[in-house]
Amino acid sequence: MKRFTRRDFIKAALATSGGVLVSTPLQAMTRPAFPSEVTFQHGVASGDPLQDAVILWTRASPAKGGESVGPVKVTWELARDSQFTDVLRRGSANTDLARDYTIKIDVRGLEPGASYFYRFIGASEQSPVGRTRTLPEGRVEQVKLAVFSCSNYPAGYFNAYQLAAQRDDWDAVLHLGDYIYEYPADGYATERSAEIGRALPEDNVGELLTLTDYRKRYALYRTDTGLQALHAAAPFIAVWDDHEITNDTWKSGAENHNEGEGDFFARRAAAVQAYYEWLPIRPPQGERNPQIYRSFRFGDLLDLHMLDTRVIGRDRQIDFAGYIGEDGSFDGRSFAAAMADPERTLLGKKQLAWLDETLEQSTGHWQLLGQQVLMGRMHLPAEIMINYATGGKENPTAELAALKAASSRGEPLSDAQRDRLAQRAPYNLDAWDGYAVEREALYRRIAELNKNLVVVAGDTHNAWYSHLKDVSGRMVGLEFATPSVTSPGMESYLKLDDKSAQELAQGMSLLIDDLQYCNLHQRGYMALTFRRQQVQAEWKFIDNIDSTEFTEAGNHRVVHSLA
């Protein structure tokens, strides 16, 4: 029997700070040495803002090209205005091949809640101007965040980034992972890449395995105009998912790390190094260390905790197919026993202990968990999954949704019909549903601390809104999940037109008790606005990823107010 993966089921229904230059007020306005001949073809970026600091990033590509070029030097400037008439800080920065010619400057001593402009200058070329801001301090009435996930270059143009870049009021951009994809030129979501002008270049057509491979893929993605525009418009707070390394990564392996592809940990180290080089991030434990979880404080209104549900702590995913017999029967007893294993972990004990202590000490009015995979309970009738896993021809989703709707209206069902609805299982064991014991422990702790919890997720390529409830039905928080930038969703896997995808979304909202809304067919991003007594989520969708021509194709808004 074939391995029943998450995507299969969707078809059915460095020890130090490394090369970061720290700039403090004492180093302000030093006269830089002559800069080198470089280009800035990958734009600029900022990230990991604090109340008094922010990371500035660029890549200073040697104008001569080639690996034989030695170190290069550029000038950088930070100003209060985009014309740089009021320059606050100026300095020089060196880089070389050891860092893939990337530059990161940790500018310190800044004012809280302030906007700044920055640029880099070579001997004869200047970078684009970037805009950034520090985190606010004290009492804060509103925080606006743009949330993204899953940008696959061969699948299309990053127009969702471009749409968000048209706004100038973001406090930060949250990227929840799958910033790049590791697949080769004939891999996932590449079918139309040549036709739309998004084919992988000849020197990067293979699956990513080495440091050079990963670096070249980041360089390719960072040529996208939409991605460059958003990086230049607001600071990013980012965390990886699996494809920055390889598909369905866990702490000591991955579904897409196969025999003949070398040592997994060497591959992971290369991927982590390239990620830290190319993202404007301040690594919590240094640029050789895969520990990426960290927190950010938006005044007294919001505490953001960015988590890693992929790399450092995750136990291997349970395979649903392993519990389906030759006759198509489902071994629910063994499956339940595996799921109830108290030792299975998604975050890992160290990260979970950190989160527990951090939440206990956090004083923000809202607590926001930025992480990759869906936390909400996404349980469907097991009949749907068994039907697909055994090659069934008839999809029972519509029929079961009709039964659930009838039951909700108070219409009587037969014992057999009730049993069909009652036998349920999680559809995605790669998400928190596959680590339910740990999720319940987290829910209990959240309830004990009496926190106002919001969770954001990516990974699935679709938009979701769920109530987070424990096994007793007690509501402990909300979850909002962002659609993908380009990666295909259920409409592609199931070959659905828009109408059919909308009907399926309605059916899933009926069959999944805690699910309040989903969109299964559109690409875009999510905007979150936090106020003292309410949180608003708005999903913004675009109509095209086959070229850079696009328009906004609708939105959906949810407002949740505190009691």
Side-chain angles (χ1 to χ4, degrees):
M1 180 177 293
K2 70 176 182 178
R3 183 178 182 272
F4 188 51
T5 67
R6 170 194 37 163
R7 202 164 282 137
D8 285 335
F9 175 65
I10 290 174
K11 292 179 181 179
L14 330 166
T16 65
S17 62
V20 180
L21 172 66
V22 178
S23 173
T24 66
L26 293 178
Q27 296 168 304
M29 304 303 291
T30 56
R31 184 175 299 278
F34 292 111
S36 305
E37 288 286 355
V38 296
T39 63
F40 300 99
Q41 58 194 8
H42 300 102
V44 298
S46 67
D48 274 15
L50 304 174
Q51 277 69 27
D52 63 346
V54 69
I55 296 284
L56 307 182
W57 180 97
T58 194
R59 185 174 193 253
S61 304
K64 294 180 181 179
E67 296 187 0
S68 61
V69 176
V72 298
K73 182 188 297 289
V74 300
T75 298
W76 62 271
E77 293 181 334
L78 183 86
R80 292 191 188 275
D81 65 306
S82 61
Q83 300 302 311
F84 290 81
T85 60
D86 185 10
V87 175
L88 301 175
R89 309 285 280 282
R90 180 184 292 119
S92 61
N94 299 323
T95 187
D96 55 26
L97 182 61
R99 294 195 56 79
D100 201 20
Y101 293 99
T102 61
I103 292 171
K104 286 198 288 187
I105 301 167
D106 195 349
V107 186
R108 302 276 179 158
L110 301 178
E111 298 175 7
S115 294
Y116 297 96
F117 296 85
Y118 62 96
R119 64 185 178 185
F120 297 84
I121 303 168
S124 56
E125 184 172 323
Q126 179 178 296
S127 76
V129 173
R131 180 178 61 230
T132 192
R133 63 181 297 111
T134 51
L135 298 187
E137 186 67 272
R139 185 173 177 86
V140 174
E141 298 300 327
Q142 179 175 275
V143 170
K144 290 187 176 182
L145 305 171
V147 186
F148 291 86
S149 180
C150 304
S151 49
N152 189 328
Y153 183 95
Y157 291 83
F158 299 159
N159 295 330
Y161 292 140
Q162 188 73 61
L163 180 63
Q166 295 172 7
R167 293 179 54 168
D168 62 1
D169 60 347
W170 301 118
D171 288 286
V173 173
L174 306 189
H175 202 293
L176 303 178
D178 292 348
Y179 185 96
I180 65 166
Y181 280 73
E182 85 284 8
Y183 292 114
D186 59 350
Y188 168 68
T190 61
E191 296 84 0
R192 301 184 62 239
S193 59
E195 177 186 348
I196 64 175
R198 299 287 275 190
L200 299 177
E202 286 298 319
D203 66 348
N204 198 224
V205 295
E207 185 175 333
L208 307 185
L209 299 173
T210 69
L211 177 58
T212 298
D213 293 338
Y214 285 101
R215 284 173 165 176
K216 287 182 177 180
R217 190 64 56 89
Y218 280 103
L220 173 67
Y221 276 55
R222 291 295 283 269
T223 62
D224 183 272
T225 56
L227 181 52
Q228 287 197 12
L230 187 57
H231 268 303
F236 270 51
I237 298 175
V239 69
W240 49 56
D241 195 357
D242 52 344
H243 290 290
E244 287 89 348
I245 301 171
T246 189
N247 184 56
D248 285 356
T249 298
W250 51 291
K251 64 184 179 184
S252 57
E255 179 274 335
N256 195 31
H257 186 77
N258 304 306
E259 187 176 352
E261 293 182 340
D263 179 72
F264 170 75
F265 292 104
R267 181 182 188 178
R268 190 183 78 174
V272 167
Q273 179 176 339
Y275 183 89
Y276 282 153
E277 288 172 350
W278 279 85
L279 272 293
I281 188 174
R282 186 183 294 106
Q285 298 294 325
E287 298 202 344
R288 303 276 181 198
N289 192 317
Q291 178 182 313
I292 198 172
Y293 55 87
R294 61 211 194 279
S295 291
F296 300 87
R297 178 170 48 85
F298 293 77
D300 68 342
L301 183 62
L302 174 69
D303 291 334
L304 166 66
H305 314 292
M306 298 294 278
L307 305 180
D308 173 10
T309 63
R310 282 291 181 191
V311 175
I312 58 173
R314 173 192 282 257
D315 287 322
R316 189 170 189 169
Q317 300 88 332
I318 290 176
D319 187 353
F320 188 81
Y323 301 90
I324 299 176
E326 294 292 336
D327 60 353
S329 61
F330 177 58
D331 186 355
R333 186 185 299 274
S334 296
F335 176 79
M339 291 289 291
D341 182 354
E343 296 301 314
R344 278 182 54 74
T345 179
L346 185 67
L347 297 178
K349 292 182 180 179
K350 181 180 179 181
Q351 184 178 194
L352 186 60
W354 169 85
L355 179 59
D356 182 283
E357 181 179 1
T358 301
L359 288 172
E360 183 175 11
Q361 296 176 355
S362 292
T363 59
H365 192 67
W366 293 93
Q367 300 295 313
L368 175 62
L369 304 186
Q371 48 95 66
Q372 299 75 26
V373 296
L374 291 178
M375 184 176 287
R377 185 177 290 103
M378 304 287 282
H379 287 201
L380 281 166
E383 180 181 339
I384 297 175
M385 291 174 284
I386 294 170
N387 175 78
Y388 179 76
T390 57
K393 301 297 184 183
E394 298 296 328
N395 189 330
T397 303
E399 181 183 356
L400 290 165
L403 290 177
K404 184 67 178 290
S407 177
S408 299
R409 294 191 298 267
E411 298 176 15
L413 300 182
S414 68
D415 290 343
Q417 289 172 329
R418 285 193 295 270
D419 287 344
R420 292 178 69 190
L421 293 175
Q423 294 181 24
R424 307 171 69 81
Y427 94 89
N428 183 2
L429 299 179
D430 187 53
W432 279 89
D433 266 338
Y435 304 81
V437 175
E438 185 172 76
R439 179 176 59 190
E440 285 301 310
L442 178 59
Y443 283 176
R444 284 195 300 272
R445 187 60 174 147
I446 292 293
E448 290 171 1
L449 295 172
N450 195 29
K451 300 291 186 178
N452 297 319
L453 177 70
V454 174
V455 175
V456 287
D459 182 62
T460 69
H461 310 165
N462 296 118
W464 310 88
Y465 163 42
S466 293
H467 289 166
L468 300 180
K469 296 181 179 180
D470 63 17
V471 291
S472 70
R474 174 178 53 180
M475 187 162 163
V476 298
L478 308 169
E479 179 174 56
F480 303 110
T482 185
S484 67
V485 175
T486 61
S487 296
M490 284 193 180
E491 85 289 354
S492 175
Y493 305 142
L494 292 174
K495 297 180 171 58
L496 301 175
D497 58 23
D498 289 357
K499 182 175 183 295
S500 298
Q502 290 166 0
E503 291 173 350
L504 177 60
Q506 292 172 356
M508 292 189 72
S509 295
L510 278 171
L511 290 169
I512 300 174
D513 292 335
D514 298 339
L515 179 63
Q516 308 301 304
Y517 162 78
C518 62
N519 177 297
L520 306 179
H521 70 288
Q522 290 178 288
R523 312 280 72 77
Y525 76 97
M526 184 171 67
L528 284 184
T529 303
F530 288 88
R531 301 181 179 92
R532 303 203 76 80
Q533 292 303 310
Q534 69 174 215
V535 57
Q536 173 184 290
E538 184 175 15
W539 292 267
K540 310 278 279 187
F541 302 109
I542 56 174
D543 68 343
N544 179 50
I545 59 173
D546 289 346
S547 72
T548 55
E549 300 295 324
F550 73 96
T551 59
E552 186 175 336
N555 62 78
H556 182 82
R557 182 180 301 165
V558 169
V559 177
H560 176 83
S561 298
L562 296 177

